[in-house]
Structures are given as structure tokens and as C-alpha cells.
Amino acid sequence: MATTRPQPPEALKPPAPEPESQPPSASHPTPQPAPAPGPQPPPASAAARPMRADARRNYERVLAEARRAFAEHGTDASLEDVARRAGVGIGTLYRHFPTRHALMSAVFQGAVDELLAHSRELADSEAPCSALVTWLRDIVTHAGEYRGLARELMSASRDESSALARCSTPMKAAGERLLVRAQESGAVRPDVSIGDLMQLTNAIALAAEQAPDDPELADRLLTLTLKGLRAEKEAAT
């Protein structure tokens, strides 16, 4: 006679296996949570990645040759020649520096850093107007070091998307601090803006570039400009 085996209590039965999760299909995508309000972090693919050793060497060679080419031929020097002298293809150059302005920004970054450091030193000067004048002379000298740089800086000042804005934006902020101190001291007219001053200094450098046989032109033009900046009580003295 067959006997019926007793069944284990319900609590002792092993749990049924959970169904495996299926990957989302194109017709039924997995819902994503709404992004939190405010600025979002860049995607992981946009994060800066460290360069490989060979890529770093190419980057430095292109930068060195661009600096040399700009000094010899001006900022409109052939980028194909820069790549050839650096021993890389033009595609490699553009991979590191997508535009001419991007390459120029990298070339001039060292000089810009020096100008910014000098502006911080001048910010504590007991003669705010003299500090501003000194810094403006520095800018004229910098803009005149490479033929075509003054013209490119004037163009970039109206284009915030330009890679040269990486240089001009912090320069404007540094100049603004020096200008405000000079205005607060009563030496400079209150209606003067740093944007106008930066354009004037670039224009002076451009004029001097067109007159290489007159090395004193930039200083004379800057002196005339500075006379127009003086507050009324200063101009009367």
C-alpha cells in the first residue's frame, strides 16, 4: 500500500527563483530619472583624459614649432608648415588644436600668466593710476611681440566663443581691478571701461606694427590715450 510522504511546512519550502531581468528593448526602454535642477556635470566621455606619452610629445613639438613660426611669420603662419616642422600630420595638429585661435591661446598662455601675475603685484600699489599705466604698457608690449596678434585679440574680444577668450577674459578681469582702484582714487574718469582700454591698447600695438621704423610710436599713442583718461581735476593740473 502506497504511503503518502508528508509535505514540509510552508515556511520550510525553498523560495521560488526570481525571474532574470531582461535587458531593456528599444520598444520598452528603461525609464530614466529626471535630472536634478541646476547645472549638470559633463558626461564621462567629455572628461579630460591624460595624454599618452607619444601624444604629449606631439603636443609639445607642435606648440614649440607654432611659437617659432608665429615669431618668424606672424600669427597667420601656415599651420601645414607648423605640422611639417613638428614632424606630425596636419590631422594630428588639429586633433590637439581644433582652430588657429586654440593654437594661439596655447602658445601665448605663458605670457598671459606673467601679465596676470604682474597685475596682482600692481594691485597693492600706493599709486593706483601709475599701476594701471604700467600694466597697459605691458599689454601693448605683449600684443606687439607677434605680428598679427593685436588684430586677432581685437577680433576675439567680440567673440566669446573664440579660444582666445581664454586669454582675454582673465586679462579683462585683472585690468578691471586696476582700473577700479584708479577710478576710486579720483585719477581716472568714472566712465572709462576696461573693454575700451583693452581695445585701445590693441589698436596702439596694431598701429605700431604697421610702422616698424618708428619704435616710439606706441609710447606716444599710449601717452595721448592716458591723457584722455584723466578725471577733470587731474586733467586741469
Side-chain angles (χ1 to χ4, degrees), residues 132-154:
L132 176 64
V133 171
T134 297
W135 197 68
L136 292 177
R137 290 186 191 280
D138 288 348
I139 293 179
V140 171
T141 300
H142 164 64
E145 287 180 352
Y146 297 87
R147 189 171 71 252
L149 176 57
R151 182 183 64 251
E152 296 292 348
L153 290 174
M154 292 178 72

Side-chain angles (χ1 to χ4, degrees), residues 85-108:
R85 292 166 65 172
V88 302
I90 190 64
T92 297
L93 183 150
Y94 280 118
R95 195 154 48 243
H96 289 294
F97 308 101
T99 65
R100 181 180 293 270
H101 278 185
L103 180 56
M104 290 173 59
S105 178
V107 166
F108 304 136

Side-chain angles (χ1 to χ4, degrees), residues 38-116:
Q40 300 298 311
S45 59
R49 298 175 181 175
M51 288 187 192
R52 300 194 315 269
D54 57 339
R56 170 57 65 180
R57 285 193 296 270
N58 288 340
Y59 177 93
E60 296 295 346
R61 283 203 295 263
V62 169
L63 205 56
E65 291 301 337
R67 187 174 291 110
R68 187 175 296 112
F70 289 164
E72 293 175 0
H73 307 294
T75 57
D76 57 352
S78 167
L79 298 189
E80 287 79 6
D81 285 346
V82 170
R84 178 180 53 79
R85 292 166 65 172
V88 302
I90 190 64
T92 297
L93 183 150
Y94 280 118
R95 195 154 48 243
H96 289 294
F97 308 101
T99 65
R100 181 180 293 270
H101 278 185
L103 180 56
M104 290 173 59
S105 178
V107 166
F108 304 136
Q109 189 59 54
V112 170
D113 290 343
E114 292 178 3
L115 286 169
L116 294 176

